Amino acid sequence: MTEPRFSPLRLLVAAIRPIDPILFGLLAVLLGYAFVLMHSASPERIASLLVNAGVALAAMWLAARLPPQRLLSLALPLYAAGVLLLIAVDLFGETSKGATRWLDIGITRIQPSEIMKIAMPLMLAWYFQQREGHIRLREFVVAGALLAVPVALILVQPDLGTSLLVAAAGFYVIFFAGLSWKLIVPVALVGVVGIGAIVGFGDQLCQPGVDWQVLREYQKHRVCTLLDPTQDPLGRGFHIIQSTIAIGSGGLLGKGWTEGTQTHLAFLPERHTDFIFSVLAEEFGLLGALLLLASYLLLLLRGFVIAAQAPSLATRLLAGSITMIFFTYAFVNMGMVSGILPVVGVPLPFISYGGTALVTLCLGIGILMSIQRSRVLAKG
């Protein structure tokens, strides 16, 4: 007897065929961390985290099923829609805590800046594919302009964290497309000199009334707090001081699951979102943090392998950029909660609570799966 055409087994095989087992296994580990830590940090959010994870996994699966060229064909309309929505946020957006980032579309609120985290690398990868074989300085200038528009629109909301992530996503594509070090090194040197000046003259620059011109007042305070959080230990410096106490008090093995005193005595701020790594370090110690870092490292390695083996220029650029975005999320988040970077509101990837960010990150995983699947199909 022949097996029915639409048997449950055939449907199951068809459903899991686009899934890369290594990527999915690593994602499962990271989501496991998320549920374990959320149970300690904010158990009332477990149900909504489960819903968010379900939606994110569905988005990942849908992206994995689409061929890369189909995804790239969506680049221009997705980028245009994202820019138009960012303009709409500036004109009609909802303001909360001094920032205008959300757009009410009737049935729900959306944060259009999140769209650009995927639309930006898609757009630039598509653009460089159209110019393949003719990539010169002019192409990099155009790519820079395409990147500058949404970044500027996000900056004025203001949302420094998201603007940095979008800028990074676009820069990685431009870098992997062959941007000359002759252009990168001068900009890097200016950045190093600027950071050195801030560190060296921080006491003078952080005085009240000193206008930094390029940064808003609250952004200036974040940098100054990084330099010396003890200047205002019960105000602006409270978050980072309590976070470093939590991380340091965990020791080698931690205080035990749900036993973190900084977490459960409410000293640790935003413990379910930006500062969830501090919960991990306090309750599971250095060992738990190293295991998480190993999981991220394996995810990055898998992403770079997919990028290196990708069948076309656009897919190589896209896979490389998405992989580096995972690194940027993790590096910035762990840096800011450890007191080595300013607090800019970047979540710990796949672990911090937040539906929009989780869906965006899982879309990135799905795109990597799509690229890997296209390579396997090309080999026959």
Side-chain angles (χ1 to χ4, degrees):
M1 292 179 62
T2 59
E3 191 176 344
R5 186 176 179 183
F6 297 106
S7 69
L9 180 60
R10 284 180 178 272
L11 291 175
L12 178 62
V13 170
I16 65 174
R17 187 176 291 121
I19 304 300
D20 180 81
I22 299 176
L23 282 176
F24 187 76
L26 292 168
L27 176 60
V29 170
L30 293 173
L31 290 177
Y33 263 103
F35 280 100
V36 168
L37 294 174
M38 197 61 63
H39 179 79
S40 177
S42 186
E44 68 275 9
R45 290 183 168 88
I46 286 289
S48 56
L49 176 60
L50 185 62
V51 173
N52 292 342
V55 173
L57 290 173
M60 178 203 73
W61 181 76
L62 289 172
R65 286 183 58 84
L66 291 175
Q69 291 306 317
R70 179 70 180 276
L71 290 169
L72 288 166
S73 71
L74 300 173
L76 185 56
L78 193 60
Y79 174 84
V83 170
L84 290 174
L85 286 172
L86 287 173
I87 294 172
V89 167
D90 187 43
L91 297 174
F92 316 111
E94 295 186 357
T95 300
S96 176
K97 297 181 180 180
T100 306
R101 303 173 184 174
W102 298 89
L103 195 63
D104 190 340
I105 59 173
I107 57 173
T108 188
R109 294 194 313 163
I110 61 171
Q111 189 175 357
S113 57
E114 288 291 332
I115 297 172
M116 300 309 300
K117 293 178 184 177
I118 294 296
M120 197 70 254
L122 269 174
M123 179 64 194
L124 293 181
W126 172 83
Y127 171 72
F128 282 117
Q129 178 176 262
Q130 304 306 306
R131 305 299 299 166
E132 186 174 5
H134 305 282
I135 299 177
R136 303 289 186 270
L137 179 60
R138 175 180 175 275
E139 279 64 43
F140 290 115
V141 171
V142 172
L146 289 171
L147 175 59
V149 172
V151 170
L153 289 171
I154 296 169
L155 270 174
V156 300
Q157 293 182 353
D159 188 348
L160 181 60
T162 301
S163 65
L164 289 174
L165 290 173
V166 173
F171 171 76
Y172 294 139
V173 176
I174 295 171
F175 175 75
F176 289 134
L179 183 64
S180 172
W181 284 101
K182 294 178 181 179
L183 299 175
I184 297 173
V185 171
V187 176
L189 287 175
V190 170
V192 170
V193 171
I195 293 172
I198 292 173
V199 173
F201 301 97
D203 290 342
Q204 294 88 346
L205 292 173
C206 291
Q207 291 298 318
V210 178
D211 188 356
W212 285 21
Q213 300 294 326
V214 296
L215 293 181
R216 293 174 181 259
E217 190 68 14
Y218 83 94
Q219 294 167 342
K220 168 194 166 183
H221 289 317
R222 286 182 178 180
V223 176
C224 294
T225 299
L226 171 69
L227 296 176
D228 186 7
T230 60
Q231 289 287 339
D232 189 7
L234 298 179
R236 299 186 186 99
F238 183 80
H239 288 192
I240 193 62
I241 290 172
Q242 299 304 319
S243 177
T244 52
I245 290 173
I247 293 172
S249 65
L252 179 62
L253 299 177
K255 298 176 180 177
W257 187 34
T258 72
E259 298 297 324
T261 52
Q262 292 294 110
T263 300
H264 292 279
L265 294 178
F267 286 105
L268 193 61
E270 304 296 337
R271 56 188 179 272
H272 62 292
T273 53
D274 294 350
F275 288 85
I276 200 165
F277 180 77
S278 305
V279 178
L280 167 69
E282 183 182 27
E283 298 188 354
F284 294 95
L286 177 62
L287 181 60
L290 288 176
L291 290 174
L292 176 64
L293 289 174
S295 301
Y296 282 134
L297 180 60
L298 291 173
L299 178 65
L300 296 177
L301 289 174
R302 182 56 178 165
F304 285 131
V305 167
I306 291 173
Q309 297 176 342
S312 67
L313 173 64
T315 52
R316 287 194 297 273
L317 297 178
L318 188 56
S321 174
I322 288 172
T323 302
M324 285 300 297
I325 278 295
F326 296 156
F327 164 78
T328 304
Y329 265 96
F331 177 79
V332 173
N333 178 271
M334 287 186 275
M336 72 183 194
V337 302
S338 303
I340 61 174
L341 291 175
V343 176
V344 291
V346 173
L348 189 64
F350 305 104
I351 296 178
S352 291
Y353 181 81
T356 307
L358 184 59
V359 170
T360 302
L361 289 162
C362 284
L363 276 173
I365 293 286
I367 292 172
L368 289 178
M369 290 180 177
S370 170
I371 293 171
Q372 172 63 9
R373 187 185 182 212
S374 72
R375 185 188 71 85
V376 173
L377 291 177
K379 289 177 62 177

